[in-house]
Amino acid sequence: MPGWSCLVTGAGGFLGQRIIHLLTQEEELQEIRALDKVFRPETREEFAKLQTKVKVTVLEGDILDAQCLRRACQGISVVIHTAAIIDVLGVIPRQTIMDINLKGTQNLLEACVQASVPAFIYTSSVDVAGPNSYKEIVVNGHEEEQRENTWSDPYPYSKKMAEKAVLAANGCILKDGGTFHTCSLRPMYIYGEKSPFITITIIRALKNNGTLDILSKFSIANPVYVGNVAWAHILAARGLQDPKKSPNIQGQFYYISDDTPHQSYDDLYYNLSKKWGFHLDSSWIPPLPLLYWFGFLLEVVSFLLHPIYNYRPPLNRHMIALSNSVFTFSYKKAQRDLGYEPPVSWEEAREKTSEWIGSLVEQQKGTLNTKIQ
């Protein structure tokens, strides 16, 4: 891979930043282009301080701007596409999610073909595989099972359709006559330092005397550490450019998990934060079937009120199924084809995330004290 270059979309995000950091350590890499709609000042500063010989170019641009994408793709060897809107509660308008997650991906694929970018890696989600019901049980699932999410909710639907577009584009002829190679990675729920979901959970618990909400008591999941997901993207970028490995990877999707113990999402949050005095809510939780139908009732209320009031229910059936199912997947295919071995153990990931949560707690307490004064 002499003198290669890489464009990362969503580079200012939770996963995108980790990928940028790992890319700076890649030999033969000449340039990283970090693309996002808006970068926070601290992210720009962080990228500017990177100790690397690789040129890091920060680009602000819209994934829906075809001209911007075409310029960003010029002279690029590999695109890693992480940019997406994640929303399982219906807070963001459906059309916005479809535009960013699906149309944005289609725009980027077209820009790659026009700019003759030979390799494209898509950050998909385990949500494209389901679960379709809280009754569905999957333990150490694998790619050959060909599972597909049937929910019409905009997030899983847009990610599913975008992944289909990415994999269908594999083998396309580029403008310079070359061949386009694509693959897709489906991470489990991603945790780690700077996780926006953990941040929200901890801030909410601090306002409730350290009590963590019980939202996923009935789930069994295999969450994955952000550093391990970022590493899988690096291996995919290498693999699609390797004449020996590339034929096995082209047009394929991979579940990305690690050796984090299978546990409920609630237990994950507790295990990561208990060092700082957080505890799980001991309140009574309705049985799962009752919770599911309550979510359905809230959806009906939302639908009936829609002509006069935009009611967004705190729960819906998709969220309840997603957060309360037994749904775990193996990374054996990624191990076989990409050479993926999670570099960060559960113990190390837990410690790093816990220490970050501690700093977040101190920061929030400092903010609270400032407000009081």
Side-chain angles (χ1 to χ4, degrees), residues 210-314:
T211 303
L212 296 161
D213 292 338
I214 294 288
L215 299 171
S216 311
K217 178 182 178 180
F218 306 102
S219 64
I220 298 179
N222 56 334
V224 60
Y225 180 63
V226 62
N228 292 332
V229 179
W231 177 239
H233 283 75
I234 304 302
L235 293 175
R238 289 179 185 174
L240 280 182
Q241 297 178 90
D242 185 335
K244 293 181 180 178
K245 284 188 176 181
S246 186
N248 296 327
I249 302 170
Q250 296 166 21
Q252 298 294 309
F253 69 86
Y254 297 91
Y255 291 113
I256 305 299
S257 55
D258 58 17
D259 299 321
T260 299
H262 293 196
Q263 58 195 299
S264 73
Y265 297 109
D266 291 339
D267 285 340
L268 173 70
Y269 291 137
Y270 172 67
N271 285 325
L272 295 174
S273 66
K274 62 184 178 182
K275 180 178 179 179
W276 308 105
F278 290 91
H279 54 275
L280 290 169
D281 192 344
S282 57
S283 303
W284 178 78
I285 298 294
L288 191 50
L290 188 60
L291 203 58
Y292 185 79
W293 287 110
F294 179 63
F296 174 66
L297 179 63
L298 291 177
E299 288 178 53
V300 171
V301 171
S302 175
F303 176 76
L304 294 174
L305 288 176
H306 187 70
I308 56 172
Y309 179 68
N310 188 22
Y311 170 62
R312 293 170 182 155

Side-chain angles (χ1 to χ4, degrees), residues 5-6 30 42 81 161 170 184 214 238 251-252 265 276:
S5 55
C6 185
Q30 291 187 336
E42 57 268 29
H81 179 36
M161 298 310 293
N170 184 67
S184 177
I214 294 288
R238 289 179 185 174
Q252 298 294 309
Y265 297 109
W276 308 105

